[in-house]
Amino acid sequence: MALHKATDHKQADDATDLFAGPVGTSVAAKNRMPEQPSRPQAVYQMLRNELLLDGNAAQNLATFCTTWSEDEVHRLMNECLDKNMIDKDEYPQTAEIEARCVNILADLWNAPAGASPMGCSTTGSSEAAMLGGLALKWRWRQKRLAEGKPADKPNIVAGPVQICWDKFARYFDVEIRQVPLEKGATGLRPHQLAQYVDENTIGVVAILGVTFTCDFEPVAELSAELDRIQAETGLDIPIHVDAASGGFIAPFLYPELVWDFRVERVASINASGHKYGMAPLGVGWVVWREPALLPEDLIFRVDYLGGDMPTFALNFSRPGGEIIAQYYLFQRLGRQGYREVYEACAATAQYLGEEVAAMGPFELLYDGRGALPAISYKLKDPAGAGFTLYDLTDQLRMRGWQVPAYPLPADQQDTVIQRILIRHGIGRDEMALLAEDMRRALHRLTAGKPAELPSDVSRIGFHH
């Protein structure tokens, strides 16, 4: 038998236990860069452990955004880490795939034949909405100046919109005329338009998937009212459809609903690829019905790394992986696949709505039928319930569920509601568990309060 001599050496640093090394036995320098490098495995584990303090994305029922993706999406994202989609000279196939996505969306949203629709990807639906708003402002200003009229007081009319439209108005010097919610309404209603639009209105924003209530605003009816106003006053006001969430729902669940480029007054549409488009976070889309609706003054032609590149964006360099992932999903699922996914989501939302309604104290504002796969509800008797929806939010958070409670916009801000969104990756069984947790929470809240609960006024608001 062979004899072997033991070698006398110190244990290599690489063999040190992750939690016994320098990173694991010291507090990280939070706000300054450390002097020395550290082992990648140790730094990774340190950050992974910190991130465990975040909420579980799968239980975040407040977000519209994608929280589950197939392994192939993860692989494509990893393979595209080094692709800068703005550099179309260096990554021409990524540019080609972006163009294919725009064409797919123009077709999905029924762009008229021969119109040569234009569009682009963005970092999300907020940037896409702002680009749509900028095009409206530029066209309105060009028309006013051509007529010899002042163009210094533009306004845009909308119902209960997401914060991006307030940002657009402030950043680009446009007055936002936000139409208050009528009692019992879940969004902007056509008869409200006449008292808000005038010669300085650059456009009306119609929301396909109202952030607060999950309902669709009636685009065709809003357009018909603007037709009537034009016949009376001569004002020709375009519509931009903010379909951040509904743009990937309506074509598959409600193909008969007329909301898109079939409505002639619709100039542009934005949607979020990373919401119900199912792509990873970081991609949105905006499409114009025809090139004339996107003023040439807004397009920059950049000589970058050897190529002449037309671009319309609020930023420049951007990763290409989300665009590739979006195209993967278009090819992977097709129309039938998207339809099947969202039929399942809608059925789950309707199931949950029935469970919530049967619990007793809640009144459904939206039951998951006719718009987004989601529900929203309020307390039937806020004064007599013995608890608030904010209390229910706190109770559910103990089990990891993130279910927002928040007041409706003006003029219904006294009504507090909750909203639950169902998206790809949330199944019926998971919602059955949520319903059970809600029933247990209701029992705790109504069986007697050990201490005085804080008032609604002292609660933190909802900012999503």
Side-chain angles (χ1 to χ4, degrees), residues 106-129:
D107 178 61
L108 191 66
W109 297 335
N110 294 292
S116 301
M118 293 183 68
C120 62
S121 68
T122 64
T123 55
S125 53
S126 291
E127 182 187 6

PDB file of all heavy atoms in Angstrom, residues 106-129:
ATOM      1  N   ALA A 106     -49.203  46.668 -32.984  1.00  0.00           N
ATOM      2  CA  ALA A 106     -50.056  47.436 -33.894  1.00  0.00           C
ATOM      3  C   ALA A 106     -51.159  46.543 -34.464  1.00  0.00           C
ATOM      4  O   ALA A 106     -52.323  46.963 -34.588  1.00  0.00           O
ATOM      5  CB  ALA A 106     -49.212  48.037 -35.016  1.00  0.00           C
ATOM      6  N   ASP A 107     -50.804  45.316 -34.785  1.00  0.00           N
ATOM      7  CA  ASP A 107     -51.795  44.360 -35.289  1.00  0.00           C
ATOM      8  C   ASP A 107     -52.772  43.970 -34.190  1.00  0.00           C
ATOM      9  O   ASP A 107     -53.989  43.902 -34.417  1.00  0.00           O
ATOM     10  CB  ASP A 107     -51.076  43.129 -35.838  1.00  0.00           C
ATOM     11  CG  ASP A 107     -52.045  42.061 -36.332  1.00  0.00           C
ATOM     12  OD1 ASP A 107     -52.819  42.353 -37.266  1.00  0.00           O
ATOM     13  OD2 ASP A 107     -52.043  40.944 -35.777  1.00  0.00           O
ATOM     14  N   LEU A 108     -52.253  43.728 -32.988  1.00  0.00           N
ATOM     15  CA  LEU A 108     -53.098  43.333 -31.862  1.00  0.00           C
ATOM     16  C   LEU A 108     -54.104  44.423 -31.530  1.00  0.00           C
ATOM     17  O   LEU A 108     -55.242  44.135 -31.123  1.00  0.00           O
ATOM     18  CB  LEU A 108     -52.206  43.049 -30.646  1.00  0.00           C
ATOM     19  CG  LEU A 108     -52.852  42.385 -29.432  1.00  0.00           C
ATOM     20  CD1 LEU A 108     -53.304  40.970 -29.750  1.00  0.00           C
ATOM     21  CD2 LEU A 108     -51.877  42.385 -28.258  1.00  0.00           C
ATOM     22  N   TRP A 109     -53.696  45.686 -31.711  1.00  0.00           N
ATOM     23  CA  TRP A 109     -54.555  46.820 -31.382  1.00  0.00           C
ATOM     24  C   TRP A 109     -55.279  47.367 -32.612  1.00  0.00           C
ATOM     25  O   TRP A 109     -55.770  48.493 -32.608  1.00  0.00           O
ATOM     26  CB  TRP A 109     -53.738  47.907 -30.703  1.00  0.00           C
ATOM     27  CG  TRP A 109     -53.147  47.464 -29.393  1.00  0.00           C
ATOM     28  CD1 TRP A 109     -53.613  46.480 -28.572  1.00  0.00           C
ATOM     29  CD2 TRP A 109     -51.977  47.996 -28.750  1.00  0.00           C
ATOM     30  NE1 TRP A 109     -52.808  46.359 -27.463  1.00  0.00           N
ATOM     31  CE2 TRP A 109     -51.788  47.271 -27.539  1.00  0.00           C
ATOM     32  CE3 TRP A 109     -51.060  48.990 -29.069  1.00  0.00           C
ATOM     33  CZ2 TRP A 109     -50.738  47.532 -26.671  1.00  0.00           C
ATOM     34  CZ3 TRP A 109     -50.008  49.252 -28.202  1.00  0.00           C
ATOM     35  CH2 TRP A 109     -49.856  48.528 -27.012  1.00  0.00           C
ATOM     36  N   ASN A 110     -55.334  46.560 -33.662  1.00  0.00           N
ATOM     37  CA  ASN A 110     -56.169  46.847 -34.834  1.00  0.00           C
ATOM     38  C   ASN A 110     -55.836  48.161 -35.532  1.00  0.00           C
ATOM     39  O   ASN A 110     -56.724  48.960 -35.869  1.00  0.00           O
ATOM     40  CB  ASN A 110     -57.653  46.833 -34.441  1.00  0.00           C
ATOM     41  CG  ASN A 110     -58.121  45.448 -34.017  1.00  0.00           C
ATOM     42  OD1 ASN A 110     -58.191  44.529 -34.825  1.00  0.00           O
ATOM     43  ND2 ASN A 110     -58.405  45.295 -32.727  1.00  0.00           N
ATOM     44  N   ALA A 111     -54.539  48.396 -35.759  1.00  0.00           N
ATOM     45  CA  ALA A 111     -54.140  49.560 -36.562  1.00  0.00           C
ATOM     46  C   ALA A 111     -54.711  49.411 -37.963  1.00  0.00           C
ATOM     47  O   ALA A 111     -54.716  48.306 -38.522  1.00  0.00           O
ATOM     48  CB  ALA A 111     -52.623  49.664 -36.612  1.00  0.00           C
ATOM     49  N   PRO A 112     -55.217  50.479 -38.549  1.00  0.00           N
ATOM     50  CA  PRO A 112     -55.847  50.366 -39.873  1.00  0.00           C
ATOM     51  C   PRO A 112     -54.849  49.951 -40.942  1.00  0.00           C
ATOM     52  O   PRO A 112     -53.674  50.336 -40.906  1.00  0.00           O
ATOM     53  CB  PRO A 112     -56.395  51.779 -40.127  1.00  0.00           C
ATOM     54  CG  PRO A 112     -55.659  52.675 -39.182  1.00  0.00           C
ATOM     55  CD  PRO A 112     -55.287  51.846 -38.010  1.00  0.00           C
ATOM     56  N   ALA A 113     -55.307  49.174 -41.889  1.00  0.00           N
ATOM     57  CA  ALA A 113     -54.459  48.700 -42.979  1.00  0.00           C
ATOM     58  C   ALA A 113     -53.920  49.880 -43.776  1.00  0.00           C
ATOM     59  O   ALA A 113     -54.653  50.833 -44.080  1.00  0.00           O
ATOM     60  CB  ALA A 113     -55.250  47.763 -43.892  1.00  0.00           C
ATOM     61  N   GLY A 114     -52.632  49.841 -44.087  1.00  0.00           N
ATOM     62  CA  GLY A 114     -52.009  50.875 -44.892  1.00  0.00           C
ATOM     63  C   GLY A 114     -51.648  52.138 -44.142  1.00  0.00           C
ATOM     64  O   GLY A 114     -51.138  53.093 -44.734  1.00  0.00           O
ATOM     65  N   ALA A 115     -51.862  52.164 -42.824  1.00  0.00           N
ATOM     66  CA  ALA A 115     -51.595  53.382 -42.056  1.00  0.00           C
ATOM     67  C   ALA A 115     -50.128  53.516 -41.662  1.00  0.00           C
ATOM     68  O   ALA A 115     -49.704  54.586 -41.241  1.00  0.00           O
ATOM     69  CB  ALA A 115     -52.460  53.411 -40.804  1.00  0.00           C
ATOM     70  N   SER A 116     -49.345  52.447 -41.779  1.00  0.00           N
ATOM     71  CA  SER A 116     -47.925  52.451 -41.388  1.00  0.00           C
ATOM     72  C   SER A 116     -47.724  52.942 -39.962  1.00  0.00           C
ATOM     73  O   SER A 116     -47.034  53.934 -39.714  1.00  0.00           O
ATOM     74  CB  SER A 116     -47.102  53.315 -42.353  1.00  0.00           C
ATOM     75  OG  SER A 116     -47.216  52.842 -43.668  1.00  0.00           O
ATOM     76  N   PRO A 117     -48.338  52.276 -38.970  1.00  0.00           N
ATOM     77  CA  PRO A 117     -48.202  52.722 -37.581  1.00  0.00           C
ATOM     78  C   PRO A 117     -46.744  52.744 -37.139  1.00  0.00           C
ATOM     79  O   PRO A 117     -45.915  51.982 -37.644  1.00  0.00           O
ATOM     80  CB  PRO A 117     -49.004  51.680 -36.795  1.00  0.00           C
ATOM     81  CG  PRO A 117     -49.080  50.484 -37.682  1.00  0.00           C
ATOM     82  CD  PRO A 117     -49.094  51.014 -39.082  1.00  0.00           C
ATOM     83  N   MET A 118     -46.446  53.633 -36.212  1.00  0.00           N
ATOM     84  CA  MET A 118     -45.096  53.765 -35.654  1.00  0.00           C
ATOM     85  C   MET A 118     -45.146  53.505 -34.158  1.00  0.00           C
ATOM     86  O   MET A 118     -46.171  53.731 -33.513  1.00  0.00           O
ATOM     87  CB  MET A 118     -44.537  55.168 -35.903  1.00  0.00           C
ATOM     88  CG  MET A 118     -44.272  55.498 -37.350  1.00  0.00           C
ATOM     89  SD  MET A 118     -43.526  57.134 -37.517  1.00  0.00           S
ATOM     90  CE  MET A 118     -41.908  56.857 -36.776  1.00  0.00           C
ATOM     91  N   GLY A 119     -44.020  53.036 -33.610  1.00  0.00           N
ATOM     92  CA  GLY A 119     -43.983  52.807 -32.181  1.00  0.00           C
ATOM     93  C   GLY A 119     -42.580  52.513 -31.712  1.00  0.00           C
ATOM     94  O   GLY A 119     -41.639  52.424 -32.505  1.00  0.00           O
ATOM     95  N   CYS A 120     -42.433  52.365 -30.409  1.00  0.00           N
ATOM     96  CA  CYS A 120     -41.126  52.068 -29.838  1.00  0.00           C
ATOM     97  C   CYS A 120     -41.302  51.429 -28.469  1.00  0.00           C
ATOM     98  O   CYS A 120     -42.371  51.492 -27.865  1.00  0.00           O
ATOM     99  CB  CYS A 120     -40.285  53.337 -29.721  1.00  0.00           C
ATOM    100  SG  CYS A 120     -40.994  54.612 -28.634  1.00  0.00           S
ATOM    101  N   SER A 121     -40.228  50.822 -28.004  1.00  0.00           N
ATOM    102  CA  SER A 121     -40.211  50.317 -26.633  1.00  0.00           C
ATOM    103  C   SER A 121     -39.783  51.442 -25.700  1.00  0.00           C
ATOM    104  O   SER A 121     -39.179  52.427 -26.114  1.00  0.00           O
ATOM    105  CB  SER A 121     -39.248  49.135 -26.521  1.00  0.00           C
ATOM    106  OG  SER A 121     -37.910  49.576 -26.698  1.00  0.00           O
ATOM    107  N   THR A 122     -40.097  51.272 -24.420  1.00  0.00           N
ATOM    108  CA  THR A 122     -39.723  52.243 -23.397  1.00  0.00           C
ATOM    109  C   THR A 122     -39.330  51.472 -22.136  1.00  0.00           C
ATOM    110  O   THR A 122     -39.363  50.244 -22.107  1.00  0.00           O
ATOM    111  CB  THR A 122     -40.897  53.189 -23.071  1.00  0.00           C
ATOM    112  OG1 THR A 122     -41.972  52.415 -22.510  1.00  0.00           O
ATOM    113  CG2 THR A 122     -41.388  53.918 -24.306  1.00  0.00           C
ATOM    114  N   THR A 123     -38.990  52.200 -21.082  1.00  0.00           N
ATOM    115  CA  THR A 123     -38.650  51.538 -19.825  1.00  0.00           C
ATOM    116  C   THR A 123     -39.884  51.029 -19.091  1.00  0.00           C
ATOM    117  O   THR A 123     -39.765  50.268 -18.140  1.00  0.00           O
ATOM    118  CB  THR A 123     -37.897  52.496 -18.893  1.00  0.00           C
ATOM    119  OG1 THR A 123     -38.692  53.672 -18.706  1.00  0.00           O
ATOM    120  CG2 THR A 123     -36.546  52.880 -19.480  1.00  0.00           C
ATOM    121  N   GLY A 124     -41.058  51.464 -19.504  1.00  0.00           N
ATOM    122  CA  GLY A 124     -42.296  51.050 -18.865  1.00  0.00           C
ATOM    123  C   GLY A 124     -43.445  51.890 -19.382  1.00  0.00           C
ATOM    124  O   GLY A 124     -43.266  52.766 -20.241  1.00  0.00           O
ATOM    125  N   SER A 125     -44.642  51.664 -18.855  1.00  0.00           N
ATOM    126  CA  SER A 125     -45.810  52.385 -19.361  1.00  0.00           C
ATOM    127  C   SER A 125     -45.779  53.864 -18.977  1.00  0.00           C
ATOM    128  O   SER A 125     -46.391  54.687 -19.656  1.00  0.00           O
ATOM    129  CB  SER A 125     -47.092  51.731 -18.850  1.00  0.00           C
ATOM    130  OG  SER A 125     -47.068  51.600 -17.448  1.00  0.00           O
ATOM    131  N   SER A 126     -45.077  54.220 -17.908  1.00  0.00           N
ATOM    132  CA  SER A 126     -45.016  55.640 -17.542  1.00  0.00           C
ATOM    133  C   SER A 126     -44.274  56.444 -18.592  1.00  0.00           C
ATOM    134  O   SER A 126     -44.749  57.501 -19.034  1.00  0.00           O
ATOM    135  CB  SER A 126     -44.345  55.808 -16.177  1.00  0.00           C
ATOM    136  OG  SER A 126     -45.154  55.302 -15.151  1.00  0.00           O
ATOM    137  N   GLU A 127     -43.100  55.967 -19.006  1.00  0.00           N
ATOM    138  CA  GLU A 127     -42.378  56.663 -20.069  1.00  0.00           C
ATOM    139  C   GLU A 127     -43.190  56.643 -21.359  1.00  0.00           C
ATOM    140  O   GLU A 127     -43.261  57.646 -22.078  1.00  0.00           O
ATOM    141  CB  GLU A 127     -41.011  56.021 -20.305  1.00  0.00           C
ATOM    142  CG  GLU A 127     -40.206  56.764 -21.377  1.00  0.00           C
ATOM    143  CD  GLU A 127     -38.915  56.069 -21.782  1.00  0.00           C
ATOM    144  OE1 GLU A 127     -38.662  54.935 -21.323  1.00  0.00           O
ATOM    145  OE2 GLU A 127     -38.165  56.654 -22.584  1.00  0.00           O
ATOM    146  N   ALA A 128     -43.819  55.513 -21.643  1.00  0.00           N
ATOM    147  CA  ALA A 128     -44.623  55.408 -22.859  1.00  0.00           C
ATOM    148  C   ALA A 128     -45.771  56.416 -22.846  1.00  0.00           C
ATOM    149  O   ALA A 128     -46.070  57.055 -23.864  1.00  0.00           O
ATOM    150  CB  ALA A 128     -45.163  53.987 -23.000  1.00  0.00           C
ATOM    151  N   ALA A 129     -46.423  56.569 -21.692  1.00  0.00           N
ATOM    152  CA  ALA A 129     -47.511  57.539 -21.580  1.00  0.00           C
ATOM    153  C   ALA A 129     -47.001  58.956 -21.801  1.00  0.00           C
ATOM    154  O   ALA A 129     -47.643  59.764 -22.479  1.00  0.00           O
ATOM    155  CB  ALA A 129     -48.168  57.413 -20.201  1.00  0.00           C
TER     156      ALA A 129
END
